[in-house]
Coordinates of all heavy atoms in Angstrom, one line a residue:
M1090 N 23.7 16.3 -3.6 CA 22.5 16.2 -2.9 C 22.7 16.5 -1.5 O 23.7 16.1 -0.9 CB 21.9 14.8 -3.1 CG 21.4 14.5 -4.5 SD 20.2 13.1 -4.6 CE 21.2 11.8 -4.1
S1091 N 21.7 17.1 -0.9 CA 21.7 17.4 0.5 C 21.3 16.2 1.3 O 20.8 15.2 0.8 CB 20.8 18.6 0.8 OG 19.5 18.2 0.7
I1092 N 21.5 16.3 2.6 CA 21.2 15.2 3.5 C 19.7 15.0 3.5 O 19.2 13.9 3.6 CB 21.7 15.6 5.0 CG1 23.2 15.7 5.0 CG2 21.2 14.5 6.0 CD1 23.9 14.4 4.7
L1093 N 18.9 16.1 3.4 CA 17.4 16.0 3.4 C 17.0 15.2 2.2 O 16.0 14.3 2.3 CB 16.8 17.3 3.4 CG 15.3 17.4 3.5 CD1 14.7 16.7 4.7 CD2 14.8 18.8 3.4
T1094 N 17.6 15.4 1.1 CA 17.2 14.7 -0.2 C 17.5 13.2 -0.1 O 16.7 12.4 -0.4 CB 17.9 15.3 -1.4 OG1 17.6 16.7 -1.4 CG2 17.5 14.7 -2.7
V1095 N 18.7 12.9 0.5 CA 19.1 11.5 0.6 C 18.1 10.8 1.6 O 17.7 9.7 1.4 CB 20.5 11.4 1.1 CG1 20.9 10.0 1.5 CG2 21.5 11.9 0.0
L1096 N 17.8 11.5 2.7 CA 16.9 10.9 3.7 C 15.5 10.7 3.1 O 14.9 9.7 3.3 CB 16.8 11.8 4.9 CG 15.9 11.3 6.0 CD1 16.5 10.1 6.6 CD2 15.8 12.4 7.1
A1097 N 15.0 11.7 2.3 CA 13.7 11.5 1.6 C 13.7 10.4 0.6 O 12.7 9.6 0.5 CB 13.3 12.8 0.9
V1098 N 14.8 10.2 -0.1 CA 14.8 9.1 -1.1 C 14.9 7.7 -0.3 O 14.2 6.8 -0.7 CB 16.1 9.2 -2.0 CG1 16.3 8.0 -2.8 CG2 15.9 10.4 -2.9
L1099 N 15.6 7.7 0.8 CA 15.6 6.4 1.6 C 14.3 6.1 2.2 O 13.8 4.9 2.2 CB 16.7 6.5 2.7 CG 18.1 6.5 2.2 CD1 19.1 6.7 3.4 CD2 18.4 5.2 1.5
V1100 N 13.6 7.1 2.7 CA 12.2 6.9 3.2 C 11.3 6.4 2.0 O 10.4 5.6 2.2 CB 11.7 8.2 3.9 CG1 10.2 8.1 4.1 CG2 12.4 8.4 5.1
H1101 N 11.5 7.0 0.9 CA 10.7 6.7 -0.3 C 10.9 5.2 -0.7 O 9.9 4.5 -1.0 CB 11.0 7.6 -1.5 CG 10.1 7.4 -2.7 ND1 8.8 7.8 -2.7 CD2 10.4 6.9 -3.9 CE1 8.3 7.5 -3.9 NE2 9.3 6.9 -4.6
I1102 N 12.1 4.7 -0.6 CA 12.4 3.4 -1.0 C 11.8 2.4 0.1 O 11.3 1.4 -0.3 CB 14.0 3.2 -1.1 CG1 14.5 3.9 -2.3 CG2 14.4 1.7 -1.1 CD1 16.0 3.9 -2.3
A1103 N 11.9 2.8 1.3 CA 11.3 2.0 2.4 C 9.8 1.9 2.3 O 9.2 0.8 2.4 CB 11.7 2.5 3.8
L1104 N 9.2 3.0 1.9 CA 7.7 3.0 1.7 C 7.3 2.2 0.5 O 6.3 1.5 0.5 CB 7.2 4.4 1.5 CG 7.1 5.2 2.8 CD1 6.7 6.7 2.5 CD2 6.0 4.6 3.7
S1105 N 8.2 2.2 -0.6 CA 7.8 1.4 -1.7 C 7.9 -0.1 -1.4 O 7.1 -0.9 -1.9 CB 8.7 1.7 -2.9 OG 10.1 1.4 -2.6
I1106 N 8.9 -0.5 -0.6 CA 9.0 -1.9 -0.2 C 7.9 -2.3 0.6 O 7.3 -3.4 0.5 CB 10.4 -2.2 0.5 CG1 11.5 -2.0 -0.6 CG2 10.4 -3.5 1.1 CD1 12.9 -2.0 0.0
A1107 N 7.5 -1.4 1.6 CA 6.3 -1.7 2.4 C 5.0 -1.8 1.6 O 4.2 -2.7 1.9 CB 6.2 -0.7 3.5
L1108 N 4.9 -1.0 0.6 CA 3.7 -1.0 -0.2 C 3.6 -2.3 -1.0 O 2.5 -2.9 -1.1 CB 3.6 0.2 -1.1 CG 2.4 0.4 -1.9 CD1 1.2 0.5 -1.1 CD2 2.5 1.6 -2.8
I1109 N 4.7 -2.7 -1.6 CA 4.7 -4.0 -2.3 C 4.4 -5.2 -1.4 O 3.6 -6.0 -1.7 CB 6.1 -4.2 -3.0 CG1 6.3 -3.2 -4.1 CG2 6.3 -5.6 -3.5 CD1 7.7 -3.1 -4.6
Y1110 N 5.0 -5.2 -0.2 CA 4.7 -6.2 0.8 C 3.2 -6.3 1.1 O 2.6 -7.4 1.1 CB 5.5 -6.0 2.0 CG 5.2 -7.0 3.1 CD1 5.6 -8.3 3.1 CD2 4.5 -6.6 4.2 CE1 5.3 -9.2 4.1 CE2 4.1 -7.5 5.2 CZ 4.6 -8.8 5.2 OH 4.2 -9.7 6.1
F1111 N 2.6 -5.2 1.5 CA 1.2 -5.2 1.9 C 0.3 -5.5 0.7 O -0.7 -6.1 0.9 CB 0.8 -3.8 2.5 CG 1.4 -3.6 3.9 CD1 2.1 -2.5 4.2 CD2 1.3 -4.6 4.9 CE1 2.7 -2.3 5.4 CE2 1.9 -4.4 6.1 CZ 2.6 -3.2 6.4
A1112 N 0.6 -5.1 -0.5 CA -0.2 -5.4 -1.6 C -0.1 -6.9 -1.9 O -1.2 -7.5 -2.2 CB 0.3 -4.6 -2.8
L1113 N 1.0 -7.5 -1.8 CA 1.1 -8.9 -2.0 C 0.4 -9.7 -0.9 O -0.2 -10.8 -1.2 CB 2.6 -9.4 -2.1 CG 3.3 -8.9 -3.3 CD1 4.8 -9.3 -3.2 CD2 2.7 -9.5 -4.6
Q1114 N 0.4 -9.2 0.3 CA -0.3 -9.9 1.4 C -1.8 -9.8 1.1 O -2.6 -10.8 1.4 CB 0.0 -9.2 2.7 CG 1.4 -9.5 3.2 CD 1.6 -11.0 3.5 OE1 0.7 -11.7 4.0 NE2 2.8 -11.5 3.1
R1115 N -2.3 -8.7 0.6 CA -3.7 -8.6 0.3 C -4.1 -9.5 -0.9 O -5.3 -9.9 -0.9 CB -4.1 -7.1 0.0 CG -3.9 -6.2 1.1 CD -4.9 -6.4 2.2 NE -6.3 -6.3 1.8 CZ -7.3 -6.9 2.4 NH1 -7.1 -7.5 3.5 NH2 -8.5 -6.7 1.9
M1116 N -3.2 -9.7 -1.8 CA -3.6 -10.5 -3.0 C -3.7 -12.0 -2.6 O -4.4 -12.7 -3.2 CB -2.5 -10.3 -4.0 CG -2.6 -9.0 -4.8 SD -1.2 -8.8 -5.9 CE -1.4 -10.2 -7.0
Q1117 N -3.0 -12.4 -1.5 CA -3.1 -13.8 -1.1 C -4.5 -14.1 -0.6 O -4.9 -15.3 -0.6 CB -2.0 -14.1 -0.1 CG -0.6 -14.2 -0.6 CD 0.4 -14.5 0.5 OE1 0.0 -14.6 1.6 NE2 1.6 -14.6 0.1
K1118 N -5.2 -13.1 -0.1 CA -6.5 -13.4 0.4 C -7.5 -13.9 -0.7 O -8.3 -14.8 -0.4 CB -7.1 -12.1 1.1 CG -8.4 -12.3 1.8 CD -8.8 -11.0 2.5 CE -10.1 -11.3 3.2 NZ -10.6 -10.1 3.8
N1119 N -7.4 -13.3 -1.9 CA -8.2 -13.8 -3.0 C -7.3 -14.4 -4.0 O -7.4 -14.1 -5.2 CB -8.9 -12.6 -3.6 CG -9.9 -11.9 -2.6 OD1 -10.5 -12.6 -1.8 ND2 -10.0 -10.6 -2.6
A1120 N -6.6 -15.4 -3.6 CA -5.6 -16.0 -4.5 C -6.2 -17.0 -5.5 O -5.5 -17.4 -6.5 CB -4.5 -16.8 -3.7
E1121 N -7.4 -17.5 -5.3 CA -8.0 -18.4 -6.3 C -8.3 -17.7 -7.6 O -8.2 -16.4 -7.7 CB -9.3 -19.0 -5.7 CG -10.4 -18.1 -5.5 CD -10.4 -17.5 -4.1 OE1 -9.6 -17.9 -3.3 OE2 -11.3 -16.7 -3.9
L1122 N -8.6 -18.4 -8.6 CA -8.8 -17.8 -9.9 C -9.9 -16.8 -10.0 O -9.8 -15.8 -10.6 CB -9.1 -19.0 -10.9 CG -9.3 -18.5 -12.4 CD1 -8.1 -17.9 -12.9 CD2 -9.7 -19.7 -13.2
G1123 N -11.0 -17.0 -9.3 CA -12.1 -16.1 -9.3 C -11.8 -14.8 -8.5 O -12.5 -13.8 -8.7
G1124 N -10.8 -14.8 -7.7 CA -10.5 -13.6 -6.9 C -10.0 -12.5 -7.8 O -10.1 -11.3 -7.5
A1125 N -9.4 -12.8 -9.0 CA -8.9 -11.8 -9.9 C -10.1 -11.0 -10.5 O -9.9 -9.9 -11.0 CB -8.1 -12.5 -11.0
F1126 N -11.3 -11.6 -10.5 CA -12.5 -11.0 -11.1 C -13.5 -10.5 -10.1 O -14.6 -10.3 -10.4 CB -13.1 -12.0 -12.1 CG -12.2 -12.4 -13.2 CD1 -11.7 -13.7 -13.1 CD2 -11.7 -11.6 -14.1 CE1 -10.8 -14.2 -14.1 CE2 -10.8 -12.0 -15.1 CZ -10.3 -13.3 -15.1
G1127 N -13.1 -10.5 -8.8 CA -14.0 -9.9 -7.8 C -14.9 -10.9 -7.2 O -15.9 -10.5 -6.5
S1128 N -14.7 -12.2 -7.3 CA -15.7 -13.2 -6.7 C -15.3 -13.5 -5.3 O -15.8 -14.5 -4.8 CB -15.8 -14.4 -7.6 OG -14.6 -15.2 -7.5
G1129 N -14.3 -12.9 -4.7 CA -13.9 -13.2 -3.4 C -15.0 -12.9 -2.4 O -15.1 -13.5 -1.3
A1130 N -16.0 -12.1 -2.7 CA -17.1 -11.8 -1.8 C -18.1 -12.9 -1.8 O -19.0 -12.9 -0.9 CB -17.8 -10.5 -2.2
S1131 N -18.1 -13.8 -2.7 CA -19.0 -14.9 -2.7 C -18.8 -15.9 -1.6 O -19.7 -16.7 -1.3 CB -19.0 -15.6 -4.1 OG -17.8 -16.3 -4.2
H1132 N -17.7 -15.9 -1.0 CA -17.4 -16.8 0.1 C -17.9 -16.3 1.5 O -17.7 -17.1 2.4 CB -15.9 -17.1 0.2 CG -15.4 -17.7 -1.1 ND1 -15.8 -19.0 -1.5 CD2 -14.5 -17.3 -2.0 CE1 -15.2 -19.3 -2.7 NE2 -14.4 -18.2 -3.0
T1133 N -18.4 -15.1 1.6 CA -18.9 -14.6 2.8 C -20.4 -15.0 3.0 O -21.1 -15.1 2.0 CB -18.7 -13.1 2.9 OG1 -19.4 -12.5 1.9 CG2 -17.2 -12.8 2.9
M1134 N -20.8 -15.1 4.2 CA -22.2 -15.6 4.4 C -23.2 -14.4 4.1 O -24.3 -14.7 3.6 CB -22.3 -16.1 5.8 CG -23.6 -16.7 6.2 SD -23.5 -17.4 7.8 CE -24.8 -18.4 7.8
F1135 N -22.9 -13.2 4.5 CA -23.8 -12.1 4.4 C -23.3 -11.1 3.3 O -23.5 -9.9 3.5 CB -24.0 -11.4 5.7 CG -24.5 -12.3 6.8 CD1 -23.7 -12.8 7.8 CD2 -25.8 -12.8 6.7 CE1 -24.2 -13.7 8.7 CE2 -26.3 -13.6 7.7 CZ -25.5 -14.1 8.7
G1136 N -22.7 -11.5 2.2 CA -22.3 -10.6 1.2 C -20.8 -10.2 1.4 O -20.1 -10.9 2.1
R1137 N -20.5 -9.1 0.9 CA -19.1 -8.7 0.9 C -18.7 -8.2 2.4 O -19.6 -7.9 3.1 CB -18.8 -7.6 -0.1 CG -19.3 -6.3 0.3 CD -18.8 -5.2 -0.7 NE -19.1 -3.9 -0.3 CZ -18.3 -3.2 0.5 NH1 -17.2 -3.7 1.0 NH2 -18.7 -2.0 0.9
E1138 N -17.5 -8.2 2.6 CA -17.0 -7.8 4.0 C -17.1 -6.3 4.2 O -16.9 -5.6 3.2 CB -15.5 -8.2 4.1 CG -15.3 -9.7 4.1 CD -13.9 -10.1 4.2 OE1 -13.0 -9.2 4.4 OE2 -13.5 -11.2 3.9
K1139 N -17.5 -5.9 5.3 CA -17.7 -4.5 5.6 C -16.4 -4.0 6.4 O -15.9 -4.7 7.3 CB -18.9 -4.3 6.5 CG -20.2 -4.9 6.0 CD -20.7 -4.2 4.9 CE -22.1 -4.6 4.5 NZ -22.2 -5.7 3.7
G1140 N -15.9 -2.9 6.0 CA -14.8 -2.3 6.7 C -13.5 -2.9 6.3 O -13.4 -3.8 5.4
F1141 N -12.4 -2.4 6.9 CA -11.1 -2.9 6.6 C -10.5 -3.7 7.8 O -10.8 -3.3 9.0 CB -10.1 -1.7 6.4 CG -10.4 -1.0 5.1 CD1 -10.5 0.4 5.0 CD2 -10.5 -1.7 3.9 CE1 -10.7 1.0 3.8 CE2 -10.7 -1.1 2.7 CZ -10.8 0.3 2.6
D1142 N -9.8 -4.7 7.5 CA -9.1 -5.4 8.6 C -7.7 -4.6 8.8 O -7.4 -3.7 8.0 CB -8.8 -6.8 8.3 CG -8.1 -7.0 7.0 OD1 -8.0 -6.1 6.2 OD2 -7.6 -8.2 6.7
P1143 N -7.0 -4.9 9.9 CA -5.8 -4.1 10.1 C -4.7 -4.2 9.0 O -4.1 -3.2 8.7 CB -5.2 -4.8 11.4 CG -6.3 -5.4 12.0 CD -7.3 -5.8 11.0
A1144 N -4.7 -5.3 8.2 CA -3.7 -5.4 7.1 C -4.1 -4.4 6.0 O -3.3 -3.8 5.3 CB -3.6 -6.8 6.6
A1145 N -5.4 -4.3 5.8 CA -5.9 -3.4 4.7 C -5.7 -2.0 5.1 O -5.4 -1.2 4.2 CB -7.4 -3.7 4.5
K1146 N -5.9 -1.7 6.4 CA -5.6 -0.3 6.8 C -4.1 0.1 6.6 O -3.8 1.2 6.2 CB -6.0 -0.1 8.3 CG -7.5 -0.1 8.5 CD -7.9 0.0 9.9 CE -9.4 -0.1 10.1 NZ -9.7 0.0 11.5
M1147 N -3.2 -0.9 7.0 CA -1.8 -0.6 6.8 C -1.5 -0.5 5.3 O -0.6 0.4 5.0 CB -1.0 -1.7 7.4 CG -1.1 -1.7 9.0 SD -0.3 -3.1 9.7 CE 1.4 -2.7 9.5
A1148 N -2.1 -1.2 4.4 CA -1.8 -1.1 3.0 C -2.3 0.2 2.5 O -1.7 0.9 1.7 CB -2.5 -2.2 2.3
L1149 N -3.5 0.7 3.0 CA -4.0 2.0 2.6 C -3.1 3.1 3.0 O -2.8 4.0 2.2 CB -5.4 2.2 3.2 CG -6.1 3.5 3.0 CD1 -6.5 3.7 1.5 CD2 -7.3 3.7 3.9
W1150 N -2.6 3.1 4.3 CA -1.8 4.1 4.8 C -0.4 4.1 4.1 O 0.2 5.2 3.8 CB -1.6 4.1 6.3 CG -2.8 4.7 7.0 CD1 -3.8 4.0 7.6 CD2 -3.1 6.1 7.0 NE1 -4.7 4.9 8.1 CE2 -4.3 6.2 7.7 CE3 -2.5 7.2 6.5 CZ2 -4.9 7.4 7.9 CZ3 -3.1 8.4 6.7 CH2 -4.3 8.5 7.4
A1151 N 0.1 2.9 3.8 CA 1.3 2.8 3.0 C 1.2 3.4 1.6 O 2.1 4.1 1.2 CB 1.8 1.4 2.9
G1152 N 0.0 3.2 1.0 CA -0.2 3.8 -0.3 C -0.3 5.4 -0.2 O 0.2 6.1 -1.1
I1153 N -1.0 5.9 0.8 CA -1.1 7.3 1.0 C 0.2 7.9 1.2 O 0.6 9.0 0.6 CB -2.1 7.6 2.1 CG1 -3.5 7.2 1.6 CG2 -2.1 9.1 2.5 CD1 -4.6 7.3 2.8
L1154 N 1.0 7.3 2.1 CA 2.3 7.9 2.5 C 3.3 7.8 1.3 O 4.1 8.7 1.1 CB 2.9 7.1 3.7 CG 2.3 7.4 5.0 CD1 2.8 6.5 6.1 CD2 2.4 8.9 5.4
F1155 N 3.1 6.7 0.5 CA 4.0 6.6 -0.7 C 3.6 7.7 -1.7 O 4.5 8.3 -2.3 CB 3.8 5.2 -1.4 CG 4.6 5.0 -2.6 CD1 5.9 4.7 -2.5 CD2 4.0 5.1 -3.9 CE1 6.7 4.5 -3.7 CE2 4.7 4.9 -5.0 CZ 6.1 4.6 -4.9
M1156 N 2.4 8.0 -1.9 CA 2.0 9.1 -2.8 C 2.5 10.5 -2.3 O 3.1 11.2 -3.1 CB 0.5 9.2 -2.9 CG 0.0 10.2 -4.0 SD -1.8 10.3 -4.1 CE -2.2 11.1 -2.6
V1157 N 2.4 10.7 -1.1 CA 3.0 12.0 -0.5 C 4.5 12.0 -0.7 O 5.1 13.0 -1.0 CB 2.5 12.1 1.0 CG1 3.3 13.3 1.6 CG2 1.0 12.3 1.1
S1158 N 5.1 10.9 -0.4 CA 6.6 10.8 -0.6 C 7.0 11.0 -2.0 O 8.1 11.6 -2.3 CB 7.0 9.4 -0.1 OG 8.4 9.2 -0.3
C1159 N 6.2 10.6 -3.0 CA 6.5 10.8 -4.4 C 6.6 12.3 -4.7 O 7.5 12.8 -5.3 CB 5.5 10.2 -5.3 SG 5.6 8.4 -5.4
F1160 N 5.6 13.1 -4.2 CA 5.6 14.5 -4.4 C 6.8 15.2 -3.6 O 7.4 16.1 -4.2 CB 4.3 15.1 -3.9 CG 3.1 14.8 -4.8 CD1 2.0 14.2 -4.2 CD2 3.2 15.0 -6.1 CE1 0.9 13.8 -5.0 CE2 2.1 14.7 -6.9 CZ 1.0 14.1 -6.4
V1161 N 7.1 14.8 -2.4 CA 8.2 15.4 -1.7 C 9.5 15.1 -2.3 O 10.3 16.0 -2.5 CB 8.2 14.8 -0.2 CG1 9.4 15.2 0.5 CG2 7.0 15.3 0.5
V1162 N 9.8 13.9 -2.8 CA 11.0 13.5 -3.4 C 11.1 14.3 -4.8 O 12.2 14.8 -5.1 CB 11.2 12.0 -3.6 CG1 12.3 11.7 -4.6 CG2 11.3 11.3 -2.3
A1163 N 10.1 14.4 -5.5 CA 10.1 15.1 -6.8 C 10.4 16.6 -6.6 O 11.2 17.2 -7.3 CB 8.8 15.0 -7.5
A1164 N 9.8 17.2 -5.5 CA 10.1 18.6 -5.2 C 11.5 18.8 -4.8 O 12.1 19.8 -5.1 CB 9.1 19.1 -4.2
L1165 N 12.0 17.9 -4.0 CA 13.4 18.1 -3.5 C 14.4 17.9 -4.6 O 15.5 18.5 -4.6 CB 13.7 17.1 -2.3 CG 13.0 17.4 -1.0 CD1 13.3 16.3 0.0 CD2 13.6 18.7 -0.5
L1166 N 14.2 16.9 -5.5 CA 15.1 16.7 -6.6 C 15.0 17.8 -7.7 O 16.0 17.9 -8.5 CB 14.9 15.3 -7.2 CG 15.3 14.1 -6.3 CD1 14.9 12.8 -7.0 CD2 16.7 14.2 -6.0
A1167 N 13.9 18.5 -7.8 CA 13.7 19.5 -8.8 C 14.5 20.8 -8.5 O 14.8 21.6 -9.3 CB 12.3 19.9 -8.9
R1168 N 14.9 21.0 -7.2 CA 15.6 22.2 -6.8 C 17.1 22.0 -7.0 O 17.7 21.1 -7.0 CB 15.5 22.7 -5.4 CG 14.3 22.4 -4.7 CD 14.2 23.1 -3.4 NE 14.4 22.2 -2.3 CZ 15.0 22.4 -1.2 NH1 15.5 23.6 -0.9 NH2 15.0 21.5 -0.2

């Protein structure tokens, strides 16, 4: 394997760990039993929350970068 492939795999592993971390952090917000079924919005005064907080934005970008990293690693390992 070339240096680029090893670097891409290492970045992919780091992104997967970050994605797991941010997903678990988001799950703690709706940790009660009803949160699994979407009732987390019932605790807000004016309905569901609008927009993303910074943690949700980081989880979204980690997911997008992880998906792109999957394609890059697959392409590098296929050659």
